[in-house]
Amino acid sequence: MADTKAVESARHALVAEISREVADVRVLRAIGRVPRERFVPEEARGYAYENRPLPIGESQTISQPLIVALMTQALQLEGDETVLEVGTGSGYQAAVLSLLAQRVISVERIPRLAEGAERLLADLGYSNVEVRVSGDRVGWPDAGPYEAIIVTAASPESPAELLDQLAMGGRLVIPVGSRTLQELVRIVKTDKGAVRHNLGPCRFVPLLGSSGWPEPAS
Ligand code: SAH
């Protein structure tokens, strides 16, 4: 489906806004190519190009576009990587990653969200993304080690299991902190250990399970 003029110019304006804080042209170009309006619920489409998170059902959110861009930039992708995303949600971040890497494995704990994202990504032609429903383990060791890992849910600490799934020289980007406020952290795995930098404050929905926060009682 061709973009309407209005959608095109709204997306362009969003990219211009993000470019004030994100310099990586490849990342900006990818944001400019992904139809965010398709990843939000029908009733929220009018807000798809505002720079803010939006609800996607199941008490989850599609991240703020600026945060998507900052996290993607911090992964320093060159195009030949296999990337792991933890927290598929709507599939939007996975679509952005798919334009910048060779293969994307994206894991989600809520089957309904995983199914919806998988269908949408296939419909839109993002054929190098594989969505998986994750169980108890965090991540997806079977397809690792990964050159880049992005976690789009907040964790009290960076899970050791994810560092194990990261290749030497690989980058892990994850929000770390309390349930309500976190710091975006970039960790590089080197032969001398993990090197950690803070990228700034952020606010994400919680990572649930053994490596994150306790699952809600059902
Ligand atoms: N990246 C998404 C936004 C993610 S919201 C997007 O672009 O739309 C965070 C997601 O992480 C939610 O869908 C939540 O269900 C999922 N999640 C939380 N804990 C998880 C875990 N342990 N493993 C996989 N997914 C998890």
Side-chain angles (χ1 to χ4, degrees):
M1 202 169 54
D3 291 335
T4 65
K5 279 262 173 312
V7 166
E8 221 168 79
S9 75
R11 194 181 303 143
H12 192 261
L14 176 65
V15 171
E17 182 179 342
I18 293 172
S19 71
R20 293 203 286 267
E21 290 178 65
V22 171
D24 190 325
V25 175
R26 296 182 67 239
V27 172
L28 294 171
R29 213 178 287 145
I31 299 275
R33 283 175 59 194
V34 178
R36 191 170 187 254
E37 77 280 6
R38 298 291 304 273
F39 292 85
V40 302
E42 194 109 37
E43 62 277 12
R45 287 212 173 144
Y47 307 107
Y49 291 103
E50 291 188 7
N51 189 17
R52 58 163 157 133
L54 291 167
I56 55 169
E58 310 279 345
S59 308
Q60 306 303 325
T61 53
I62 179 174
S63 306
Q64 182 189 359
L66 173 62
I67 296 289
V68 171
L70 284 169
M71 292 178 87
T72 306
Q73 173 173 259
L75 294 176
Q76 291 183 310
L77 301 173
E78 295 194 336
D80 57 354
E81 299 86 355
T82 300
V83 183
L84 171 69
E85 179 191 23
V86 178
T88 313
S90 68
Y92 176 75
Q93 172 76 71
V96 172
L97 293 171
S98 81
L99 297 176
L100 298 166
Q102 182 157 24
R103 183 181 179 207
V104 179
I105 312 289
S106 183
V107 295
E108 170 57 56
R109 63 179 278 282
I110 301 177
R112 203 190 66 83
L113 289 177
E115 284 155 23
E118 185 171 39
R119 202 174 322 118
L120 179 60
L121 289 161
D123 283 355
L124 294 173
Y126 297 105
S127 54
N128 58 342
V129 183
E130 295 156 57
V131 179
R132 303 274 182 263
V133 177
S134 56
D136 276 349
R137 310 171 305 182
V138 68
W140 198 261
D142 299 6
Y146 302 94
E147 285 82 36
I149 300 179
I150 176 170
V151 183
T152 61
S155 184
E157 248 318 314
S158 177
E161 297 98 301
L162 287 183
L163 206 57
D164 290 344
Q165 293 171 50
L166 196 62
M168 200 50 81
R171 287 80 60 200
L172 165 63
V173 177
I174 180 170
V176 173
S178 72
R179 272 188 94 116
T180 50
L181 188 65
Q182 306 94 35
E183 183 73 24
L184 204 51
V185 172
R186 177 174 187 269
I187 295 166
V188 181
K189 185 168 174 172
T190 74
D191 50 11
K192 297 192 184 69
V195 180
R196 187 173 161 141
H197 289 288
N198 287 359
L199 302 176
C202 59
R203 188 168 287 142
F204 275 82
V205 294
L207 182 80
L208 297 177
S210 53
S211 296
W213 303 95
E215 307 260 359
S218 50

